[in-house]
Amino acid sequence: MSTLDFQFLRWQKEVFGDNHRFKVVVAGRRTGKTRFAATMLIIKALECTAKDATILYAAPTFSMAKVLMWDLVQELARPVLAKVNINDGELTLVNGVKIRIRGADNPDSLRGYKLYYAVLDESKDMRENVWPLVIRPALSDLKGGALIIGTPEPGESQFRDQYELGLTGEDDEWKSWLFPTSCNELIDPKELAAARRTLSSQQYAQEYEADFNT
């Protein structure tokens, strides 16, 4: 099998190295969350030994999922790709495990999978039944894990509740992090300063500082 060499930002290394089952990452724009999600999909697919398992990436809509993830995950997984089905949004790796790219706007279309790992990207824009009634039960067979990741939005409840659950330590399977855009060391600080000058304080806090309370 070809060797993959993923380069992590500092915050990505921290989250990757953590052993909690369910990880919630609240992040500002351009923090590197989508690339991290793609990397985790590939790592978990290669780690999985159940050939009938699914590694799932879900965004609010299928078109959004394809735009955000399809080309990126293909590029990163190219050395270990065995088959690509663009119509179905599926990639099969050399070990036979499938990565499936899906939209959550039709929650019933996500049912029936035996999930080893799931990434929910911008879950704040998904229906609130997607996690508790569809994704979480599908992780039970294999005791799979999940990455729930996104930028906060004022008034949103479930994503914030999941984030706060991981902060409290009340459930030892959950862990949460908040990373502003400045945690991406590849972003020029002058660019952040320019954005701060031209955006309202509320806009900057929400999009760059990942602040729920704007």
Side-chain angles (χ1 to χ4, degrees):
M1 183 184 296
S2 300
T3 300
L4 296 172
D5 182 19
F6 295 123
Q7 301 296 317
F8 283 130
L9 299 171
R10 284 191 291 269
W11 75 262
Q12 295 169 338
K13 289 180 182 178
E14 178 181 343
V15 178
F16 175 72
D18 183 86
N19 291 323
H20 284 80
R21 182 180 179 188
F22 303 120
K23 302 179 183 182
V24 182
V25 175
V26 178
R29 303 294 181 189
R30 311 313 304 165
T31 308
K33 58 184 182 296
T34 302
R35 192 176 186 89
F36 180 65
T39 302
M40 291 305 302
L41 293 171
I42 298 164
I43 290 172
K44 291 298 180 179
L46 292 173
E47 174 186 292
C48 181
T49 58
K51 297 295 178 63
D52 60 342
T54 286
I55 309 298
L56 178 70
Y57 172 83
T61 67
F62 183 59
S63 60
M64 181 178 177
K66 291 289 286 289
V67 168
L68 288 173
M69 189 55 60
W70 184 252
D71 290 341
L72 177 59
V73 76
Q74 279 193 85
E75 174 192 343
L76 294 177
R78 195 171 306 281
V80 292
L81 269 181
K83 184 180 178 181
V84 174
N85 188 325
I86 189 170
N87 292 328
D88 292 336
E90 296 180 358
L91 303 95
T92 305
L93 301 194
V94 290
N95 63 346
V97 176
K98 286 183 171 62
I99 298 173
R100 289 185 162 102
I101 309 299
R102 294 290 183 267
D105 42 339
N106 180 8
D108 287 339
S109 69
L110 303 176
R111 297 183 184 275
Y113 297 130
K114 181 192 291 186
L115 296 183
Y116 180 74
Y117 194 74
V119 173
L120 275 65
D121 197 351
E122 300 297 357
S123 67
K124 69 182 187 300
D125 296 320
M126 298 178 186
R127 300 180 190 180
E128 291 203 347
N129 65 342
V130 170
W131 169 256
L133 300 186
V134 180
I135 304 299
R136 179 60 183 90
L139 291 164
S140 294
D141 293 79
L142 300 174
K143 297 183 179 179
L147 172 67
I148 302 171
I149 194 164
T151 300
E153 186 172 294
E156 201 285 327
S157 59
Q158 183 172 261
F159 185 41
R160 183 167 188 163
D161 289 344
Q162 291 168 329
Y163 170 67
E164 291 179 348
L165 175 62
L167 288 182
T168 63
E170 294 176 2
D171 190 317
D172 60 9
E173 290 190 317
W174 288 76
K175 178 71 177 291
S176 296
W177 295 262
L178 188 150
F179 298 109
T181 304
S182 58
C183 285
N184 182 344
E185 55 265 30
L186 302 180
I187 298 290
D188 189 341
K190 293 180 180 178
E191 174 62 20
L192 299 181
R196 188 186 289 273
R197 288 196 304 271
T198 56
L199 298 177
S200 71
S201 58
Q202 179 179 357
Q203 292 167 336
Y204 188 86
Q206 178 178 325
E207 299 301 318
Y208 284 85
E209 296 181 344
D211 188 349
F212 278 106
N213 299 311
T214 53

